[in-house]
Amino acid sequence: LCAAGAKADEGELMNEQFDRSADDFADYLRFERQSSDHTVRSYARALAKWRSWCETSGANPMSPDDATTPRFIAAMREQDLASSTVQQTMAALRSWVRYRQSTGSAAASALRLPALPDKPRRLPQVLSDGEIDRLLESCSGESWMDVRDRTILQILADCGLRASEICSLTLASVDMDTRFLHVRGKGNKDRSVPFGASVADWLTKWLAVRADGHPTGGARSFLFASRTGDRLTRIDLWRLIRRRGERAGV
């Protein structure tokens, strides 16, 4: 009984030390780092997770190490917490340890910063053939923007160009005779991408619309322009795709 009582007292002492340190860390974030209330609360929630797990597992909350932090990460994953939440929690724990080391804490000086868990890469979402068809059909109007958008989406669907490559296409990039798009890709490497009849048809329509007075403004040498006549940017392109996707229900 005496041993059990001593162990309980030791646990309470560690928790009290941790709570004081967590409060000091919150003050540091709020007053020295000028962090937002949202950030301070987010870090406090993360440290509270760590304290709760340590209390349950019998670990010392003041001494995260290579033995305890992997178990803590595993426990969070068993709760089906989002990978981003696990990452943020461990980042907060690292920041707290770094803060303690910066204050000259002898106990913290020997601690290693907890390792961040690997962030799983998300697989890109791939549209079905039916969804691609609906996306293309969302541009079935007669306006210059319908023709431009359909041409862009047809190139994306058939040629697999990156967003930056679409935006950097110039009139000189298009070879209608050989049906190639000459593209400057990642690392400023040039490549030639073949295109088929569907892309050729829509390029022909777009070039006709463009030559028939579509305002090009500062985008005279570029193949595609924004509604204001400036060069199409990646943001313009993503907005275009999002707008057409909402209309198509994809």
Side-chain angles (χ1 to χ4, degrees), residues 31-101:
F31 300 118
E32 293 191 37
R33 293 285 301 274
Q34 299 292 306
S35 299
S36 68
D37 289 341
H38 173 76
T39 298
V40 175
R41 288 194 298 268
S42 176
Y43 275 55
R45 285 194 298 269
L47 292 180
K49 284 191 188 78
W50 165 249
R51 182 192 189 281
S52 176
W53 177 83
C54 286
E55 193 168 14
T56 302
S57 62
N60 182 354
M62 297 296 290
S63 301
D65 55 31
D66 293 341
T68 56
T69 54
R71 290 165 52 208
F72 177 49
I73 292 170
M76 286 191 286
R77 287 177 170 161
E78 286 175 2
Q79 297 173 26
D80 290 329
L81 295 180
S83 296
S84 57
T85 300
V86 177
Q87 282 269 337
Q88 291 164 7
T89 301
M90 294 308 299
L93 194 59
R94 284 169 60 92
S95 295
W96 170 66
V97 170
R98 192 180 292 114
Y99 157 74
R100 290 176 59 207
Q101 291 173 338

Side-chain angles (χ1 to χ4, degrees), residues 40 45 64 80 96 106 108 114 125 130 143 163 168 175 187 193 202 231-232 239 243-244:
V40 175
R45 285 194 298 269
D80 290 329
W96 170 66
Q125 182 180 359
S143 72
S168 64
D175 190 333
V193 181
W202 283 102
R231 176 185 175 182
L232 195 73
R239 285 174 178 165
R243 184 176 67 252
R244 295 297 180 179

Side-chain angles (χ1 to χ4, degrees), residues 87-159:
Q87 282 269 337
Q88 291 164 7
T89 301
M90 294 308 299
L93 194 59
R94 284 169 60 92
S95 295
W96 170 66
V97 170
R98 192 180 292 114
Y99 157 74
R100 290 176 59 207
Q101 291 173 338
S102 72
T103 62
S105 167
S109 62
L111 292 178
R112 292 177 56 188
L113 289 177
L116 286 175
D118 293 334
K119 191 172 183 179
R121 298 182 62 181
R122 294 183 180 179
L123 293 175
Q125 182 180 359
V126 179
L127 298 180
S128 67
D129 290 343
E131 289 171 329
I132 292 173
D133 288 342
R134 294 206 308 274
L135 192 60
L136 295 174
E137 289 167 3
S138 71
C139 310
S140 58
E142 299 295 329
S143 72
W144 70 264
M145 287 186 65
D146 289 318
V147 178
R148 181 202 66 178
D149 294 359
R150 174 61 187 262
T151 307
I152 289 174
L153 292 174
Q154 197 73 56
I155 291 173
L156 286 171
D158 291 4
C159 302

Side-chain angles (χ1 to χ4, degrees), residues 4-23:
K7 190 171 183 179
D9 291 341
E10 183 182 354
E12 289 181 9
L13 179 61
M14 287 190 299
N15 285 338
E16 289 175 3
Q17 290 176 337
F18 178 83
D19 291 342
R20 284 197 300 271
S21 180
D23 288 343

